[in-house]
Amino acid sequence: LERLIMQAPSFFAILKGTEHRYELVNTKYQDLFPHVSLIGKTVAEALPEIAEQGFIEVLDNVYQTGKTFEAKEIIVKLSTAKGKLEDNYLTFIFQPLFDEHKQTIGILVAGFNVTDKYQMKKKLQELGIAVDE
């Protein structure tokens, strides 16, 4: 499973515990945050801009309820190395991970950065070209 995650064409991360501590990130996920060391840190510690956008509450809900959260082409502001926030459009899922007793132990994050696709779709729509979803 780890090898699959590390070689996947989409971004993946595994967060463990109620604090959502990074246990595993693949290259595509790390590429979203190239200036930040993630492993061993909580999402809130490593990515305060993510916490400020309400994603910790979403992760908490997934952890507490055991219900998956899915998002399609939502805007997420990500910090650059210089601290500037840039708009990114992401399609992703927060999937709870369970132990053998069906207790939530973590969250699998999987998705795609669809910023380029989203921007191209908007440009085509501005030109009056119909775009299928």
Side-chain angles (χ1 to χ4, degrees), residues 103-133:
Q103 297 295 312
T104 306
I105 57 169
I107 296 173
L108 174 70
V109 179
F112 294 93
N113 186 336
V114 294
T115 303
D116 292 342
K117 174 187 167 195
Y118 181 86
Q119 290 172 340
M120 181 61 70
K121 183 171 69 173
K122 288 298 177 198
K123 285 180 185 176
L124 290 172
Q125 288 171 342
E126 288 170 8
L127 294 171
I129 300 170
V131 180
D132 291 335
E133 291 297 319

Side-chain angles (χ1 to χ4, degrees), residues 9 11 27 51 111:
F11 63 74
T27 303

Side-chain angles (χ1 to χ4, degrees), residues 23 39 67:
E23 183 173 277
I39 300 298
K67 294 183 179 173

Side-chain angles (χ1 to χ4, degrees), residues 17 62-67 96-99 102-107:
V62 170
Y63 196 94
Q64 292 163 4
T65 66
K67 294 183 179 173
L97 298 172
F98 302 104
D99 65 12
K102 299 189 179 173
Q103 297 295 312
T104 306
I105 57 169
I107 296 173

Side-chain angles (χ1 to χ4, degrees), residues 29-42:
Y29 192 93
Q30 187 64 62
D31 287 347
L32 295 171
F33 316 101
H35 58 287
V36 181
S37 174
L38 299 170
I39 300 298
K41 293 181 182 171
T42 68

Side-chain angles (χ1 to χ4, degrees), residues 55-85:
F55 289 103
I56 302 302
E57 289 83 2
V58 176
L59 289 167
D60 287 345
N61 188 57
V62 170
Y63 196 94
Q64 292 163 4
T65 66
K67 294 183 179 173
T68 298
F69 173 83
E70 295 181 56
K72 183 177 179 185
E73 292 184 358
I74 67 166
I75 190 167
V76 180
K77 295 184 179 296
L78 303 180
S79 182
T80 66
K82 296 180 181 178
K84 181 183 176 205
L85 291 179

